[in-house]
């Protein structure tokens, strides 16, 4: 991202978002303007914890490009929204078996290669 938000310090695998200087709403991905009031937003590193808001299993390979199927072929995977403590919902690949996934369960989330990744958190 270019402009004012490109100067966020290295987040060490944490998600980089923004927070409105006027109404304090957090957003992901980062934006120079607040999605609620349009005021200026400052770059922030978001928390790495939240709850699984909803989830599903992706059973069909995404369209190519940009998806590049692995040599072993496509394997279904869990994807869902994680609601961070800041109130932001982030779409992520969920590294939890579908039979173990529960709406409301605590998860950790990190910036992944291309998309964020979430995993079950210790309670």
């Amino acid at each position: 991202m270019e402009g004012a938000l490109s100067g966020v310090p290295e987040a060490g695998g944490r998600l980089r978002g923004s927070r409105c200087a006027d109404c304090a709403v957090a957003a992901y991905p980062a934006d120079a303007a607040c999605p609620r009031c349009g005021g200026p937003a400052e770059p922030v590193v978001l928390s790495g914890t939240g709850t699984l808001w909803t989830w599903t299993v992706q059973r069909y390979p995404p369209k190519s490009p940009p998806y590049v199927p692995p040599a072993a072929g496509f394997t279904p995977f869990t994807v869902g929204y994680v609601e961070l403590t800041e109130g932001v919902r982030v779409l992520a690949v969920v590294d939890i078996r579908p039979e173990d996934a529960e709406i409301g369960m605590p998860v950790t989330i990190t910036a992944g290669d291309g998309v964020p990744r979430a995993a079950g958190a210790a309670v």
Side-chain angles (χ1 to χ4, degrees), residues 6-107:
S6 62
V8 178
E10 178 58 41
R14 303 255 313 266
L15 297 176
R16 299 181 212 193
S18 57
R19 183 175 307 282
C20 179
D22 295 335
C23 71
V25 163
Y28 177 84
D31 198 338
C34 175
R36 179 187 288 163
C37 72
E42 300 293 325
V44 295
V45 175
L46 299 171
S47 68
T49 60
T51 57
L52 188 57
W53 188 72
T54 192
W55 63 274
T56 190
V57 176
Q58 175 73 34
R59 298 188 191 281
Y60 302 96
K63 290 186 177 186
S64 294
Y67 176 74
V68 178
F74 174 78
T75 302
F77 59 93
T78 307
V79 63
Y81 278 96
V82 174
E83 186 168 41
L84 302 179
T85 56
E86 293 90 349
V88 178
R89 292 184 186 140
V90 177
L91 181 64
V93 171
V94 182
D95 293 324
I96 299 169
R97 296 181 323 169
E99 56 270 21
D100 295 334
E102 292 182 30
I103 291 174
M105 72 183 293
V107 294

